[in-house]
Amino acid sequence: MSGKLLLFGFDSLLNVLALEAAVGSCGAEIVPVARMDYNKTLAVLAGLDADVAPVMPYSGGPLGGRMIVFCELEDRLDALLPALRRAGAGPECLKAVLTPSNRNWSALKLYGELQREHQALGGR
């Protein structure tokens, strides 16, 4: 598998295309996630688990910012992070790696956890 970047809160096609161009050489697939899918687990969104359990579509507002989840790309983070920064996904965009601990979380849960961690580190 080539690995995927799940994009949350990237509402502009131009932003998505800029990220796609920036990471294409790293062999990463860009997957913009529709807001209505924010209640699905990260593993389902990454295509690692089957989407068998019915989940209520998310009908709330935006997350509050942008977020990227790296799926099966741990070995390419050193190349991906600077490329994403150059394409406009700098420090204001929350980032996480899909792990066994968070794979069954929703985007909402992960975003909340990343926000808490970001604030605990003094907003760095």
Side-chain angles (χ1 to χ4, degrees):
M1 182 178 231
S2 64
K4 296 180 181 180
L5 290 170
L6 302 179
L7 305 182
F8 299 89
F10 287 83
D11 297 327
S12 163
L13 178 60
L14 290 177
N15 288 340
V16 172
L17 292 174
L19 293 176
E20 189 170 49
V23 303
S25 64
C26 296
E29 179 185 351
I30 296 287
V31 180
V33 178
R35 190 180 300 172
M36 66 182 281
D37 291 332
Y38 284 4
N39 283 334
K40 293 182 179 180
T41 68
L42 298 170
V44 166
L45 294 172
L48 301 174
D49 286 351
D51 191 6
V52 293
V55 176
M56 288 292 292
Y58 177 71
S59 59
L63 289 175
R66 299 182 302 170
M67 177 174 71
I68 297 175
V69 179
F70 299 86
C71 307
E72 300 185 334
L73 292 166
E74 294 83 356
D75 59 334
R76 292 173 259 175
L77 289 176
D78 288 341
L80 286 167
L81 290 170
L84 291 169
R85 189 177 317 111
R86 287 190 299 274
E92 77 290 342
C93 176
L94 299 178
K95 298 167 190 78
V97 172
L98 185 70
T99 67
S101 297
N102 68 19
R103 68 179 282 125
N104 292 316
W105 293 4
S106 70
L108 302 168
K109 182 172 180 174
L110 179 61
Y111 188 84
E113 183 62 29
L114 291 175
Q115 281 287 94
R116 283 188 288 283
E117 289 177 10
H118 187 73
Q119 291 169 352
L121 293 172
R124 289 182 267 161

